[in-house]
Amino acid sequence: MHALGSPNVFATDRTGRETCANVLKRTIGASRYVPDAAHTAMILFVGQDPLGGTRPSLVATQAAAKENGGRLCRVSPYRSASDTLLDEWTPLAAGTELAFVLALCQVVVDEGRYDTSYLDASDEGFAAWKAELNEYRPAWAESLTGIPASDISRIALQLAEAAPAVSVVADGVSGRYANASATIRATALLNTLLGSWNREGGALVAPEATFADPGFNALPDLPAPSAARLGDADYPLVSEAGASTMLVRGIEDGTVKSLFLFGDGCLGDPSMRAAGGGRFSQLDTCVFVGSVKPADDAGIGYLLPEPTPLESRGFPSLASGSVAIASLRAQAVDPVCPDARTIDAIVSDLASACGVGERFACSCDDVVAARLASVGLEPEDFAHVAFVPLPTQASVLQAGSIAFASDEFERAGLGRTARWIEPAVSPSPDQREFRLLTDCQSATFVEELAQAEKLQSISRECGLDRLWMNVSAARDLGIEDGDTVTISTAAAEASETCIVRTTPCMHPKAVMLPSPTSAFATSLAAEPGFGTTARDETLVFISKGGTR
């Protein structure tokens, strides 16, 4: 796209991971941290598991903490499937996680239980924030979250008592609400107050894992287009992934004329799900490159098949963590479809057809070798393994890197210091109205595939398309476990029926669909400053009955 003069390149960020890293980088100078579970005294998870199911890495973290006598707590709208080892789960109203974290900060500061390691270089910013925290006392947070003020104070003091061998993790809110980034920012500052950074049992800053510029660059060295990417001016803090909400709006208002969709996962982005339903037909050209035919291909003019991951070699990727690793996927089987072409071959041919083919003379092998060489590896290192650990790098936070006050946040309209920001929507007292939460369980993302109808039929037969609902809230509406209910938006522009499952592990004003259809991707609420799609800013009405 850059070779053609277009800056409009976007990446999917369906779980908000890119935005979370972006917020942390601007707040503490590092993009990721992990709990030192093997030595922790307490880990507090704010928000539900980002993937909603049983993640082996999260279970391993919790198991390591429990084996060493650590305390595990979660505050979230519902209890996740991976929370079997929790010592305490506290429900709160979805979208008010920020209020809870701000109140924790207020108690720690008001009681004088904060660490001063990072305050000297940020004294002015901290002094301003300290004064503003007086507005966010536990009684104030109780009115929003529903958590008793006494419990908020107790949790804050438990953290302070166990510090610095504690960590607070809030990646579960990323990409959900219009104030999610503000919650991550406040959580990072809470870890700072607790003195947790890189302390035994605390929050370990993960070393940055990036491909450095190699001695030779196999990829085309192209100057960035002079025009700004769509949405970047509206969202000054946007991550490298871009604000896909603006891409969808560009399709709707005619600004975007042509669209190339690369990879099966791109249609799972919340914004792209909302762009379905025929909106692609408004484009002059729409091309989809993937290994699986999308279910909703209305308006997609060209379907270019690529081999499945098992049928083709991948490009190297890096993952940060307590140990950074490089991965490289090898081809396992021969391609089944004779017309399938790899992404690099498709891009090279498209570039040639557009008159810029000379910039893409490199092969896939050239790119793989160049990327690996930049981190001291070569393809032969992956002859018998898929993952290779990188040399351990020490991660040190500089005192001056902690932004208790930030001019760039202020320019983006988010406040110079971490403050309360309202979510985009909140359910009314009406017993029938709830916030719809979404997650990636069971029939995850099957709507993207051409075989969606068959897979969804299997999900229905196995009861996997259920709606989770608080047992007391359900009874108030005359609904019992196993009943059929109708879910509809306020304006009735979308509705569907499904089986309801009731549980005490859900906040009374929230319901959760593990894998919602695009019918409910009507809200394109975006986080101020960052432009991330807030996928859980939809209100629905629940009623008993309906035809399945």
Side-chain angles (χ1 to χ4, degrees), residues 201-226:
L204 305 181
V205 175
E208 299 287 338
T210 58
F211 290 112
D213 186 22
F216 71 97
N217 194 349
L219 292 171
D221 186 14
L222 300 171
S226 57

Side-chain angles (χ1 to χ4, degrees), residues 35-43 45 58-73 85 87 165 167 201:
D36 182 11
H39 306 96
T40 191
M42 180 176 178
I43 302 175
F45 299 98
L58 179 57
V59 173
T61 295
Q62 295 187 359
K66 293 300 294 181
E67 288 174 1
N68 291 277
R71 180 174 174 79
L72 298 173
C73 304
L85 298 177
D87 293 287
S167 57

Side-chain angles (χ1 to χ4, degrees), residues 453-467:
E453 185 175 347
K454 182 183 294 185
L455 293 172
Q456 289 173 347
S457 175
I458 295 173
S459 295
R460 286 192 292 271
E461 291 175 7
C462 297
L464 299 178
D465 64 336
R466 72 281 191 202
L467 173 80

Side-chain angles (χ1 to χ4, degrees), residues 17-61:
R17 180 175 297 178
E18 288 293 327
T19 301
C20 182
N22 185 17
V23 176
L24 289 174
K25 189 73 173 179
R26 296 175 186 277
T27 305
I28 63 172
S31 58
R32 189 165 184 259
Y33 65 92
V34 294
D36 182 11
H39 306 96
T40 191
M42 180 176 178
I43 302 175
L44 172 63
F45 299 98
V46 178
Q48 53 269 48
D49 177 4
L51 296 180
T54 303
R55 285 189 298 160
S57 60
L58 179 57
V59 173
T61 295

Side-chain angles (χ1 to χ4, degrees), residues 385-534:
V385 295
F387 303 93
V388 174
L390 298 178
T392 302
Q393 303 175 22
S395 295
V396 179
L397 287 186
Q398 301 298 323
S401 69
I402 307 296
F404 285 101
S406 167
D407 292 336
E408 60 179 0
F409 274 89
E410 185 175 35
R411 286 192 295 270
L414 299 174
R416 190 164 183 268
T417 57
R419 61 179 177 83
W420 169 245
I421 296 174
E422 295 279 351
V425 300
S426 295
S428 69
D430 188 329
Q431 290 183 327
R432 302 167 300 161
E433 189 175 43
F434 302 84
R435 180 189 291 272
L436 177 65
L437 304 178
T438 60
D439 264 316
C440 312
Q441 297 178 1
S442 62
T444 306
F445 310 138
V446 297
E447 194 188 45
E448 301 165 21
L449 312 181
Q451 302 90 339
E453 185 175 347
K454 182 183 294 185
L455 293 172
Q456 289 173 347
S457 175
I458 295 173
S459 295
R460 286 192 292 271
E461 291 175 7
C462 297
L464 299 178
D465 64 336
R466 72 281 191 202
L467 173 80
W468 287 102
M469 188 176 187
N470 177 271
V471 60
S472 298
R475 287 175 181 167
D476 288 342
L477 297 176
I479 296 171
E480 298 292 337
D481 187 78
D483 283 349
T484 297
V485 297
T486 297
I487 314 165
S488 59
T489 54
E493 70 269 20
S495 68
E496 71 172 58
T497 59
C498 66
I499 297 295
V500 68
R501 297 299 180 191
T502 60
T503 173
C505 298
M506 175 74 64
H507 189 273
K509 292 301 289 182
V511 293
M512 192 271 281
L513 273 177
S515 185
T517 66
S518 59
F520 293 102
T522 55
S523 170
L524 279 180
E527 290 193 56
F530 292 90
T532 311
T533 305

Side-chain angles (χ1 to χ4, degrees), residues 17 66 117 159 248 280 356 410 412 487 546:
R17 180 175 297 178
K66 293 300 294 181
S117 300
L159 287 168
V248 176
F280 293 148
V356 291
E410 185 175 35
I487 314 165

